[in-house]
Amino acid sequence: VVSATSTANDSTSSKTATATCPAGMLAIGGHRTNNADGQPIAIVQSREEFDGDISRWVVRAVEVNPPGVAGNWSLTAFANCVG
C-alpha cells in the first residue's frame, strides 16, 4: 500500500509533508516529489515516524537562498506501507 500527502502549492519557504499509513500498517520506506521545476530546494528530512499505533513518512524541504524558488511550489510525501 502506498499513501501520499501533498502540501499547499504556495510560496512558503519551508514545507513538511506527512504520508500516514492505514491503521495496523507500518511505513517501511518512503520518498518525495516536488513541483519546484529544478529550482533550489533542499530536502532536510525524509524519515519514518512512529507514534503509538500510527506509522508515517515525514519529508521536510526548504528553499535554498539565494535565490530561493520563484513562485509557488509544493511537496508530496509517499509512504510504502506493509501490514
Side-chain angles (χ1 to χ4, degrees), residues 1-4 18-31 46-59 77-83:
V1 173
V2 175
S3 175
T18 303
T20 303
C21 293
M25 301 189 90
L26 294 174
I28 60 165
H31 62 282
S46 183
R47 66 178 180 90
E48 190 268 342
E49 186 175 271
F50 187 75
D51 182 21
D53 60 350
I54 305 296
S55 182
R56 57 183 70 91
W57 198 264
V58 179
V59 179
F78 297 87
N80 299 322
C81 307
V82 297

Side-chain angles (χ1 to χ4, degrees), residues 3-64:
S3 175
T5 303
S6 297
T7 64
N9 188 41
D10 60 22
S11 61
T12 304
S13 64
S14 175
K15 298 183 186 292
T16 300
T18 303
T20 303
C21 293
M25 301 189 90
L26 294 174
I28 60 165
H31 62 282
R32 54 86 188 143
T33 61
N34 67 71
N35 69 346
D37 296 326
Q39 295 191 64
I41 66 164
I43 303 302
V44 295
Q45 180 183 54
S46 183
R47 66 178 180 90
E48 190 268 342
E49 186 175 271
F50 187 75
D51 182 21
D53 60 350
I54 305 296
S55 182
R56 57 183 70 91
W57 198 264
V58 179
V59 179
R60 190 165 79 86
V62 296
E63 293 181 7
V64 177

